[in-house]
């Protein structure tokens, strides 16, 4: 058999050359099962048992398809026009519009890249036209690309709930207040920049509001129906996904006619399902490997190792935040989910609620997306706006600092995540 060190070198070389993550994880799993003298078919059996028998995962392709329908249509422009008409008169109104629309869009697409490409290119020139500083505008659209991951129907929330075996409905409820806290912090910063730069306000006009409402009238109910239905207990996350996908299809194809059922829908389906396929392959191979690690009591050994040096819950959370930020900087969010089965047992030993851990986990990954020099949002914005990574790194520093402050509050005040869950009695 290949020696352990030679295998590690080969795996690192393949990863460096750009091999898909699921192939790396699957290779490690096959090697581990072979080394333990277990038939490698166990990996596929685990993949099937964890993926095929989980009705919750039906929500993933449905929400992804709905998000791509919205991204490929003219929905981003209609939503921005409506938000400008409603909030443009406020101090820093346009910046707050950018935060809210990007948060909403990221919640539905679940992929930061889609938000930066679809909305960033639309919002960035508008921000510059309204006299916002260039560096602030770049930082805002880059940071806003992942700001909605805590709001339903965020795909990363669904995947965390699936992997951690936590109620997705509870996670949707738990993310609301922390998500609003992040938006509040960034809105306050935007207000400060707006006043310092003396950005003019957009005069309020009922005519503009009415025109924008009519234009976006069919899309506007969607977030309220999904969020209200889940929070109100009218339907589950899976049922919400089916409603969202069907409604978005009808509206974009037959009402607005932005997408042609023959020319565009097959293309949108293909692009969205490529993402879903990648997610499921990563999940399947990772969960198979995780079963081996659990059988070998790796989480227990990790906890014992951590316990030798860390006995305080406060210190553990600080170390966990640092680790997760690095994970978020190095990996895209769907790949990072595979670390949950290792983290969760250790966190539970420190009496950290799995729902609260989920919100900490996703908030850390949001911050990691912005972290120089490897944060994914930096690369996406660099490609979209033709700016250097160094220039973008400087632009996001203020946003990173504020998100880190919000992260500390979310981490050490668990009631921000859990209070609403207890009040609503979500199951």
């Amino acid at each position: 058999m290949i020696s352990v060190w030679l295998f590690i070198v080969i795996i690192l070389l393949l990863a460096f050359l750009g091999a898909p993550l699921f192939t790396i994880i699957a290779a490690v799993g096959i090697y581990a099962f072979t080394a333990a003298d277990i038939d490698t078919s166990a990996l596929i059996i685990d993949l099937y048992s964890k993926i095929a028998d989980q009705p919750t995962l039906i929500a993933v392709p449905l929400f992804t398809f709905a998000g791509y329908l919205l991204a490929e249509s003219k929905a981003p422009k209609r939503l921005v026009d409506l938000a400008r008409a409603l909030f443009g008169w406020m101090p820093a109104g346009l910046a707050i519009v950018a935060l809210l629309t990007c948060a909403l869009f990221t919640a539905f697409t679940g992929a930061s890249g889609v938000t930066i490409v679809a909305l960033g290119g639309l919002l960035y020139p508008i921000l510059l036209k309204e006299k916002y500083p260039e560096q602030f505008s770049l930082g805002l659209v880059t940071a806003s690309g992942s700001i909605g991951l805590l709001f339903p129907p965020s795909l990363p929330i669904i995947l965390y709930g699936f992997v951690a075996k936590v109620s997705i409905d509870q996670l949707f409820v738990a993310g609301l207040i922390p998500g609003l806290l992040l938006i509040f912090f960034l809105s306050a910063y935007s207000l400060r920049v707006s006043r310092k730069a003396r950005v003019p306000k957009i005069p309020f006009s009922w005519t503009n509001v009415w025109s924008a409402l009519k234009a976006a009238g069919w899309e506007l109910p969607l977030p309220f129906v999904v969020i209200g239905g889940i929070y109100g207990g009218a339907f589950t996350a899976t049922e919400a996904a089916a409603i969202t996908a069907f409604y978005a299809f009808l509206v974009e194809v037959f009402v607005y006619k932005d997408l042609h059922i023959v020319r565009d829908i097959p293309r949108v389906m293909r692009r969205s399902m490529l993402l879903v396929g990648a997610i499921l392959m990563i999940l399947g191979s990772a969960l198979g490997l995780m079963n081996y690690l659990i059988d070998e009591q790796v989480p227990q050994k990790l906890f014992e190792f951590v316990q030798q040096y860390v006995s305080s819950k406060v210190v553990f959370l600080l170390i966990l935040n640092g680790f997760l930020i690095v994970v978020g900087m190095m990996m895209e969010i769907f790949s990072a989910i595979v670390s949950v089965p290792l983290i969760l047992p250790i966190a539970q030993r420190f009496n950290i609620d799995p729902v609260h851990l989920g919100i900490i986990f996703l908030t850390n990954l949001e911050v990691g997306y912005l972290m120089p020099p490897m944060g994914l949002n930096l690369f996406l914005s660099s490609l979209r706006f033709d700016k250097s990574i160094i220039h973008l790194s400087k632009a996001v520093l203020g946003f990173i600092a504020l998100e880190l402050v919000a992260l500390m509050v979310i981490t050490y005040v668990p009631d921000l995540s859990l209070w609403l869950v207890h009040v609503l009695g979500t199951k």
Side-chain angles (χ1 to χ4, degrees):
M1 186 187 292
I2 301 174
S3 71
V4 174
W5 287 110
L6 178 57
F7 178 75
I8 291 172
V9 169
I10 293 171
I11 287 296
L12 291 175
L13 181 61
L14 290 172
F16 179 77
L17 293 174
L21 180 65
F22 81 91
T23 63
I24 300 294
I25 298 171
V28 173
I30 290 170
Y31 181 86
F33 278 112
T34 303
D37 200 25
I38 300 172
D39 195 301
T40 53
S41 63
L43 188 69
I44 303 302
I45 293 169
D46 284 339
L47 186 155
Y48 175 80
S49 64
K50 294 294 189 301
I51 296 293
D53 293 342
Q54 296 295 326
T56 305
L57 281 185
I58 296 172
V60 173
L62 291 171
F63 275 132
T64 305
F65 177 57
Y68 271 77
L69 284 172
L70 295 172
E72 293 284 336
S73 70
K74 295 178 183 176
K77 185 178 185 306
R78 287 190 287 267
L79 292 174
V80 169
D81 288 343
L82 176 60
R84 287 185 75 191
L86 289 172
F87 305 110
W89 59 272
M90 298 167 56
L94 184 58
I96 295 172
V97 163
L99 287 169
L100 293 175
T101 52
C102 286
L104 174 63
F105 212 71
T106 301
F108 274 91
T109 61
S112 184
V114 176
T115 301
I116 290 175
V117 171
L119 277 176
L122 177 66
L123 288 165
Y124 178 60
I126 298 175
L127 287 163
L128 293 181
K129 184 180 177 183
E130 297 295 334
K131 310 301 182 185
Y132 283 89
E134 186 262 353
Q135 198 167 33
F136 168 81
S137 302
L138 271 177
L140 181 68
V141 295
T142 303
S144 298
S146 54
I147 200 70
L149 291 177
L150 294 179
F151 296 117
S154 167
L155 288 181
I157 290 182
I158 296 173
L159 295 177
Y160 174 86
F162 167 72
V163 173
K165 297 181 175 60
V166 176
S167 165
I168 293 170
D169 292 343
Q170 285 188 349
L171 288 166
F172 279 163
V173 173
L176 182 61
I177 294 176
L180 291 174
L181 180 69
L182 278 167
I183 291 177
F184 173 78
F185 273 54
L186 298 187
S187 297
Y189 177 53
S190 301
L191 179 60
R192 179 177 175 274
V193 171
S194 172
R195 286 178 173 172
K196 187 175 179 180
R198 296 181 179 177
V199 175
K201 301 175 187 177
I202 302 171
F204 181 83
S205 166
W206 283 110
T207 303
N208 291 341
V209 171
W210 177 242
S211 177
L213 276 172
K214 285 195 298 182
W218 285 94
E219 290 154 339
L220 190 60
L222 193 53
F224 297 102
V225 170
V226 172
I227 296 171
I230 292 172
Y231 288 172
F235 40 74
T236 65
T238 304
E239 293 164 342
I243 294 169
T244 302
F246 183 65
Y247 185 83
F249 173 77
L250 290 179
V251 167
E252 303 305 339
V253 174
F254 296 107
V255 178
Y256 289 116
K257 299 181 180 179
D258 289 343
L259 300 173
H260 192 276
I261 194 167
V262 176
R263 291 193 307 269
D264 299 317
I265 295 302
R267 172 175 53 84
V268 173
M269 291 174 67
R270 183 171 60 252
R271 289 186 61 191
S272 60
M273 292 309 108
L274 281 172
L275 175 60
V276 172
I279 292 170
L280 294 182
M281 284 189 291
I282 290 169
L283 273 180
S285 54
L287 290 171
L289 174 60
M290 285 306 116
N291 260 20
Y292 167 81
L293 296 177
I294 290 168
D295 289 343
E296 293 296 313
Q297 296 185 324
V298 172
Q300 172 70 21
K301 293 172 183 175
L302 277 175
F303 174 72
E304 291 171 0
F305 175 78
V306 170
Q307 202 173 34
Q308 289 180 9
Y309 303 98
V310 180
S311 58
S312 167
K313 179 179 176 180
V314 172
V315 176
F316 169 74
L317 284 170
L318 197 61
I319 295 171
L320 178 65
N321 282 331
F323 168 74
L324 289 175
I325 287 173
V326 173
V327 169
M329 180 175 65
M330 302 294 293
M331 303 171 71
E332 51 86 22
I333 204 159
F334 300 118
S335 302
I337 294 289
V338 302
S339 63
V340 171
L342 287 177
I343 297 168
L344 184 61
I346 303 173
Q348 287 178 318
R349 294 294 188 95
F350 283 96
N351 296 317
I352 299 169
D353 188 286
V355 173
H356 182 215
L357 179 66
I359 304 307
I360 294 172
F361 182 85
L362 293 173
T363 307
N364 271 288
L365 297 187
E366 285 190 21
V367 178
Y369 262 35
L370 299 179
M371 278 290 178
M374 298 292 291
L376 180 61
N377 280 16
L378 300 177
F379 286 94
L380 293 169
S381 286
S382 177
L383 292 171
R384 183 64 183 84
F385 304 115
D386 195 25
K387 303 290 183 181
S388 71
I389 295 294
I390 294 175
H391 185 77
L392 284 163
S393 297
K394 294 177 181 177
V396 298
L397 286 178
F399 294 93
I400 290 174
L402 287 170
E403 290 198 18
L404 285 173
V405 173
L407 172 62
M408 290 298 101
V409 176
I410 291 166
T411 299
Y412 292 110
V413 186
D415 281 347
L416 282 175
S417 303
L418 302 176
W419 175 77
L420 199 56
V421 174
H422 297 320
V423 168
L424 296 180
T426 310
K427 297 182 179 180

